[in-house]
Amino acid sequence: MNMFKTAIKCVAAALLFSSSAYATTINFYNWSEYIPPGLLSRFTEETGIKVVYSTYESNESMYAKLKTYDKNGYDLVVPSTYFISKMKKEDMLQEIDHNKLTNYKNLDPSLLNKEYDLGNRYSIPYIWGATGIGVNTADIDLASVTSWTDLWDPKWKGQLLLTDDAREIFHMALKIQGHSANTQDETELAQAYELLKELMPNVLVFNSDTPANPYIAGEVEFGMIWNGSTYMAQQEDSDITMVYPKEGAVFWMDSLAIPKNAKNVDAVHKLIDFLLRPEVAAEVALEIGYPTPNSAAKKLLPKEFIENKIIFPDAETIANGEFHSDVGEANIIYERYYEKLKAQNL
Amino acid sequence: MNNSSMFKRFSIGILLVWLSVFVLLPNLMIIVTSFLTRDDANLISLTFTLDNYVRLFDPLYFKVLTHSVYMASIATFICLIIGYPFAYTISQLPKKIRPILLFLIIVPFWTNSLIRTYGIKVLLAKKGLLNALLLNLHIIDEPLRMMYTEFAVIFALVYILLPFMILPLYSSIEKIDKSLIEAAKDLGASKFTTFLKVELPLTLPGIIAGMLLVFLPAMGMFYIADLVGGAKNLLIGNTIKTQFLNIRDWPFGSAASITLTVFMAGLLFFYYKVGKSIKNRGNNA
């Protein structure tokens, strides 16, 4: 009997200990491939704050989850610019206290205070990047690729990779036709749809999970790719590279944001501040191959990384491209057309 | 006596609670949602409409539906062609070995089907195992494109769903009264005639059950179409997923899902009718 009691006490103690070992827990919901392994456990060692990390592959799935989780949801998410403005409008985010962020000053001012979130009250830039044309130079002459229209060449029938993202796919057609990639104009979108219909027979695969993989696996030689994915693919196969098309690439920025119903807001600020540290931001950039918005971190990065034009395009290339912003109600027009495009080859 | 009736009530009670909380309630919610209107900010607005069902008749969704039926039918047919001889052979083996073989069919199920689908990617890739084998055997000179094709989707569907065909087939083949086969033999029927006239009709319920168990899930396995079909060989499940995630049209997604459920219920009803008529015929004979 006594032994039984002791056993119960031991179990109770173990339970208590395990729950008190980590006083606070943060649920961090981030894009796949966005955090180097081991980084978050260093944060936990340092602060005693446990981070439960999970990943998504599209803004849409993150948004849908946040909409449906009332409580016990996520404490930190990383939406793209146009989702920041959408979620802000729908009162899904809470203000970030800049006074708690000692490392905020490290950020590049040219990437702050943008239209989607003036004063960065709701979002802290984490990573930015670009979508361009992916090329395997083992099979294709790099000089022959200059424009989004190259993807329309009938010789690519059933061979291209496109990112699985309505906005990025419409970006190509809209840019070719000389329109803004953020258009809400129905006729412009209808024209873009007509052009994209001609592209569909060339598509082999839509992939927004890890577009690098089909290039590395030799399944595709040509199509769309992200600059970070290109960098990753190059570690495996140096023939894979990316071209910034002359009509303008897609640019995006993914920012840290705190959902309205987040708990442990103090702990979340600590994590944001940790991620803004120059050495941490540099490690993230180097691991995943995307440009960092952190100026202090940029100074810590190796020279060949900074000078890699794929990762850090020059100012002219950036000015030529376009960042995506929220298109409001027009978003459903993009998505409905996209649905039709996908069913076209059936 | 009293104890056992208590236990009965308790277990039935648990079952009822389980079914109502995890089956009835979610389905009711989906039914209600399917009559409401899409709302960009709040997902659903409480305005009654039948529009969601009307829109299902859009040629776009009809195209996706027929394509799903086509893919699922091929997968089901292949499962049957492979599954029937397989189940038949197992049922002819000594009783001691049979449980082991059936157990071996179940074992792959212990691994999540998503992980097994990633395994198929490794197998079918351009630089994958199958291509390497064929190249080494000099059967082909150039690696074949198998990934992101209809072939890959059907291959994966057959691989994942084959046990659902084999198990009901096995149980109905095993149940055949051996004396009927002996009687057929005594009356001079050839092996083929015996199979066609005796065994096949008697295993029809197993065949239909297996076909339903393969066909119905095959229409909805969106992750297979996404992973090995390149997210373009759409199944009806992909369209429903897109409504919920990308377009955020939950009412329309619900309507599509309800329609699919009704369609499946119709097939099950057909199965029930066939089963009954076979039974009746058996009784009359």
Side-chain angles (χ1 to χ4, degrees):
Chain A
M1 196 62 194
N2 230 344
M3 241 172 77
F4 183 63
K5 270 188 185 166
T6 330
I8 287 193
K9 273 181 199 162
C10 281
V11 170
L15 283 176
L16 262 176
F17 179 75
S18 66
S19 62
S20 65
Y22 297 112
T24 35
T25 305
I26 306 176
N27 291 314
F28 187 6
Y29 198 31
N30 197 353
W31 293 83
S32 40
E33 305 181 344
Y34 257 24
I35 286 270
L39 184 70
L40 293 174
S41 50
R42 289 216 311 270
F43 173 74
T44 305
E45 266 168 41
E46 202 181 300
T47 58
I49 300 166
K50 191 183 172 193
V51 184
V52 179
Y53 186 66
S54 40
T55 61
Y56 52 87
E57 75 295 328
S58 72
N59 280 307
E60 284 79 11
S61 46
M62 177 270 303
Y63 174 88
K65 279 229 176 134
L66 281 191
K67 275 282 183 192
T68 43
Y69 284 16
D70 266 351
K71 279 169 203 146
N72 303 320
Y74 296 102
D75 302 304
L76 186 60
V77 292
V78 195
S80 304
T81 46
Y82 56 108
F83 262 79
I84 295 275
S85 40
K86 180 177 171 61
M87 290 162 76
K88 199 175 68 176
K89 224 185 289 169
E90 290 169 18
D91 198 26
M92 292 170 72
L93 301 176
Q94 56 175 285
E95 281 202 45
I96 295 169
D97 187 352
H98 289 205
N99 295 326
K100 288 183 186 158
L101 303 177
T102 54
N103 293 316
Y104 183 74
K105 57 179 191 306
N106 294 337
L107 290 166
D108 180 351
S110 73
L111 294 168
L112 295 174
N113 198 25
K114 297 281 182 204
E115 198 193 341
Y116 67 90
D117 183 20
L118 290 172
N120 286 80
R121 283 162 56 211
Y122 296 90
S123 65
I124 305 292
Y126 175 63
I127 281 291
W128 62 284
T131 309
I133 302 174
V135 183
N136 188 332
T137 52
D139 314 287
I140 301 163
D141 176 19
L142 189 59
S144 69
V145 181
T146 54
S147 154
W148 285 123
T149 52
D150 293 335
L151 271 64
W152 268 257
D153 190 327
K155 74 174 175 193
W156 296 114
K157 192 170 190 312
Q159 296 187 59
L160 300 182
L161 179 147
L162 301 189
T163 55
D164 195 0
D165 183 317
R167 292 291 304 277
E168 293 200 346
I169 284 170
F170 268 87
H171 179 106
M172 296 189 288
L174 288 166
K175 281 292 173 192
I176 290 171
Q177 294 173 329
H179 301 304
S180 159
N182 293 312
T183 186
Q184 301 187 28
D185 184 304
E186 279 185 41
T187 24
E188 285 178 13
L189 285 170
Q191 282 168 9
Y193 166 67
E194 290 301 324
L195 185 59
L196 286 169
K197 265 161 103 176
E198 294 161 26
L199 177 65
M200 286 305 119
N202 285 1
V203 180
L204 173 70
V205 49
F206 294 96
N207 185 326
S208 268
D209 192 3
T210 42
N213 281 347
Y215 284 93
I216 297 168
E219 300 287 349
V220 295
E221 294 99 45
F222 199 52
M224 296 168 86
I225 198 167
W226 300 326
N227 59 346
S229 284
T230 315
Y231 175 75
M232 265 188 181
Q234 281 176 341
Q235 321 285 314
E236 304 274 336
D237 180 349
S238 57
D239 285 333
I240 299 166
T241 187
M242 176 176 137
V243 171
Y244 282 90
K246 64 179 184 206
E247 294 92 352
V250 184
F251 285 97
W252 76 84
M253 171 112 68
D254 294 334
S255 302
L256 301 161
I258 311 178
K260 196 86 187 178
N261 51 18
K263 299 163 301 174
N264 305 323
V265 178
D266 267 333
V268 177
H269 279 86
K270 273 186 198 152
L271 179 57
I272 296 178
D273 207 33
F274 175 78
L275 293 169
L276 286 175
R277 282 184 201 169
E279 65 277 14
V280 172
E283 189 185 332
V284 170
L286 202 55
E287 169 76 22
I288 68 179
Y290 284 102
T292 177
N294 195 314
S295 309
K298 218 171 151 182
K299 287 180 195 130
L300 301 176
L301 287 166
K303 202 169 161 232
E304 65 270 18
F305 188 80
I306 298 288
E307 285 172 357
N308 187 328
K309 282 276 178 275
I310 295 170
I311 305 167
F312 288 93
D314 50 38
E316 198 187 332
T317 312
I318 299 173
N320 187 31
E322 200 171 1
F323 275 88
H324 285 178
S325 62
D326 185 24
V327 290
E329 287 286 316
N331 185 52
I332 194 156
I333 307 176
Y334 283 86
E335 292 288 352
R336 292 248 186 262
Y337 274 138
Y338 186 45
E339 195 181 21
K340 274 198 207 171
L341 287 171
K342 272 194 161 184
Q344 189 188 305
N345 287 355
L346 293 183
Chain B
M1 186 68 194
N2 208 3
N3 255 349
S4 92
S5 92
M6 273 272 282
F7 177 73
K8 235 186 241 168
R9 273 187 205 167
F10 176 72
S11 49
I12 291 176
I14 292 235
L15 196 68
L16 279 180
V17 170
W18 177 273
L19 285 176
S20 33
V21 172
F22 294 111
V23 179
L24 186 66
L25 202 64
N27 270 302
L28 281 178
M29 283 162 77
I30 294 177
I31 292 175
V32 171
T33 310
S34 73
F35 290 106
L36 301 176
T37 312
R38 175 187 190 268
D39 186 282
D40 205 40
N42 303 310
L43 295 176
I44 298 161
S45 85
L46 295 173
T47 323
F48 176 83
T49 176
L50 288 172
D51 186 45
N52 300 313
Y53 286 94
V54 176
R55 266 171 44 216
L56 278 173
F57 290 97
D58 187 314
L60 171 68
Y61 302 113
F62 187 72
K63 206 167 156 190
V64 177
L65 182 72
T66 42
H67 185 74
S68 301
V69 169
Y70 157 77
M71 301 274 271
S73 306
I74 295 181
T76 311
F77 184 69
I78 297 174
C79 279
L80 184 63
I81 297 292
I82 302 173
Y84 202 97
F86 197 99
Y88 195 87
T89 314
I90 292 185
S91 72
Q92 303 303 313
L93 291 170
K95 270 213 158 112
K96 266 190 185 163
I97 308 177
R98 283 189 232 165
I100 302 172
L101 290 174
L102 288 175
F103 172 74
L104 287 177
I105 296 172
I106 313 273
V107 167
F109 271 70
W110 295 351
T111 308
N112 183 298
S113 65
L114 198 58
I115 294 170
R116 284 183 285 145
T117 312
Y118 274 100
I120 289 175
K121 282 181 98 158
V122 176
L123 189 69
L124 296 183
K126 224 172 184 178
K127 296 175 188 164
L129 296 173
L130 195 55
N131 264 324
L133 180 75
L134 291 174
L135 284 171
N136 280 333
L137 294 175
H138 299 290
I139 295 172
I140 51 172
D141 304 322
E142 286 274 303
L144 298 173
R145 148 111 50 236
M146 288 179 284
M147 277 300 290
Y148 312 122
T149 60
E150 284 186 3
F151 164 77
V153 177
I154 289 170
F155 182 91
L157 287 174
V158 169
Y159 168 66
I160 302 272
L161 294 168
L162 188 60
F164 291 100
M165 182 62 90
I166 293 175
L167 295 176
L169 278 177
Y170 170 77
S171 83
S172 73
I173 294 171
E174 198 208 14
K175 262 191 261 159
I176 297 178
D177 191 344
K178 292 282 180 294
S179 59
L180 292 175
I181 298 171
E182 278 161 23
K185 219 189 214 169
D186 286 349
L187 294 170
S190 69
K191 265 201 160 164
F192 182 69
T193 318
T194 315
F195 173 74
L196 210 65
K197 293 266 162 95
V198 180
E199 286 163 294
L200 198 62
L202 284 173
T203 51
L204 200 58
I207 294 175
I208 298 179
M211 287 175 78
L212 286 177
L213 283 176
V214 173
F215 184 77
L216 301 181
M219 304 244 297
M221 290 198 153
F222 63 86
Y223 58 92
I224 289 185
D226 274 353
L227 288 176
V228 301
K232 70 183 159 64
N233 285 298
L234 303 174
L235 298 173
I236 195 80
N238 295 82
T239 308
I240 296 176
K241 179 195 139 199
T242 310
Q243 302 306 323
F244 278 92
L245 273 184
N246 297 64
I247 303 187
R248 290 186 289 280
D249 193 341
W250 288 28
F252 182 64
S254 303
S257 152
I258 293 290
T259 311
L260 192 63
T261 312
V262 170
F263 180 67
M264 292 177 176
L267 285 179
L268 286 173
F269 183 70
F270 169 74
Y271 170 59
Y272 166 77
K273 280 283 183 194
V274 170
K276 225 169 143 185
S277 83
I278 288 173
K279 222 175 177 182
N280 281 340
R281 226 171 39 192
N283 288 345
N284 292 341

